[in-house]
Amino acid sequence: DRAAYADGGSTDDLKVTTTFRTSDSSGSFSCWVKLRDDGVDPLFSYDDGTTSNRLTIFTTNAVSANRFRITSDVGGSTDSVEGTTTLVVAGVWTHLVVVSTGTAWVLYVNGVSQTLSTISGTNSGDWFADITSATTLRMFENPTGVTVSTCALDEVCVSSSQFVQADVDYLYNSGKGRLFEDTRKHVPNIVNYWSISTNHTNMGTDRLGGVNFTVGAGL
């Protein structure tokens, strides 16, 4: 099991400290997630160091019903949507795909397209490129750099294409533990791919995009 686990400590984090996918107006993001328990867990966030421009993908919880939520703040305007079709069960690996068409979000959980509930604002589909001058993609951290996750992540994949159902089906039905070369042959325009490992002492490497990420000491 190559996955990285966070225990909610102040150093349980992974950061890609480079301008991230700011050239794309839309794209797709996928990963495997395993929640350790029910609750709110930040999975990914991307920000410019202010409260005005940030993107967060996290889990929410209401009466043991975990769901994935996407929230973007661009220019002080907050848009937030939540998948309501498939609940996220703690202790079980769950596959997540987030697609931005450039104007709307599409969310898949375990291969199933989700009905999205608008929590605030609109379903804007704000992508990484919309988060002005951001420099850091955080894993296990919220946009303010606080780690409260108690989850695991594996096989984080970013594409500049908008995944369709066939792409989602391949990623989900192939199961966890796919080889990078196999994924690249079947999924279009992968620009970053991390088979996250706990074997690194303080640094990991992107398999395709050539960027480095730092690994918090608590992982």
Side-chain angles (χ1 to χ4, degrees), residues 100-117:
S100 167
T101 66
T103 57
W105 293 109
V106 184
L107 182 68
Y108 298 85
V109 179
N110 290 340
V112 177
S113 179
Q114 302 292 291
T115 298
L116 296 179
S117 173

Side-chain angles (χ1 to χ4, degrees), residues 97-178:
V97 175
V98 175
V99 179
S100 167
T101 66
T103 57
W105 293 109
V106 184
L107 182 68
Y108 298 85
V109 179
N110 290 340
V112 177
S113 179
Q114 302 292 291
T115 298
L116 296 179
S117 173
T118 301
I119 306 302
S120 64
T122 64
N123 180 5
S124 61
D126 290 326
W127 188 235
F128 294 108
D130 297 315
I131 313 302
T132 306
S133 302
T135 58
T136 302
L137 175 70
R138 307 172 189 271
M139 305 181 199
F140 303 122
E141 278 191 348
N142 66 19
T144 61
V146 176
T147 306
V148 293
S149 286
T150 56
C151 64
L153 293 173
D154 202 358
E155 294 176 15
V156 180
C157 175
V158 184
S159 170
S160 59
S161 289
Q162 299 172 30
F163 287 170
V164 297
Q165 185 68 57
D167 303 318
V168 175
D169 288 344
Y170 172 78
L171 291 168
Y172 174 60
N173 293 330
S174 297
K176 205 174 80 66
R178 295 181 311 274

Side-chain angles (χ1 to χ4, degrees), residues 70-94:
I70 309 163
T71 297
S72 63
D73 295 282
V74 179
S77 176
T78 300
D79 297 314
S80 186
V81 297
E82 183 175 282
T84 61
T85 307
T86 306
L87 299 182
V88 186
V89 180
V92 176
W93 282 106
T94 301

